[in-house]
Amino acid sequence: MYASTNVNYRSLPSTDGEILGSLKINEKVTVTGYVTEYKGEECLWTEIGEGQFVNAKYLSEKQVEVK
């Protein structure tokens, strides 16, 4: 998967999670899992490493065109 924009990755599958770092647009990542519920609420976050989460809406299967 590729980052579709510059985006932070976090320690939890929520914006409540600590920012651990960031991805640059079109940076390639390996998705190791998905989280569809967190604290009783539906969500869709991807795990890109042990305890590293990115909201799935910021990842795409193909690189995005940068103008």
Side-chain angles (χ1 to χ4, degrees):
M1 301 286 292
Y2 297 90
S4 59
T5 188
N6 295 332
V7 63
N8 294 323
Y9 56 90
R10 297 175 176 272
S11 61
L12 299 170
S14 163
T15 55
D16 294 337
E18 175 186 350
I19 295 172
L20 301 175
S22 61
L23 302 173
K24 302 269 189 237
I25 191 168
N26 288 326
E27 186 171 341
K28 187 174 183 176
V29 296
T30 299
V31 174
T32 58
Y34 292 92
V35 178
T36 58
E37 184 179 319
Y38 181 71
K39 291 190 175 181
E41 294 187 26
E42 285 187 34
C43 64
L44 184 52
W45 285 70
T46 54
E47 188 170 15
I48 60 168
E50 184 71 32
Q52 299 174 341
F53 301 92
V54 176
N55 191 305
K57 69 182 178 184
Y58 299 115
L59 296 179
S60 67
E61 291 187 13
K62 298 180 181 181
Q63 290 183 325
V64 296
E65 184 177 331
V66 179
K67 296 181 181 182

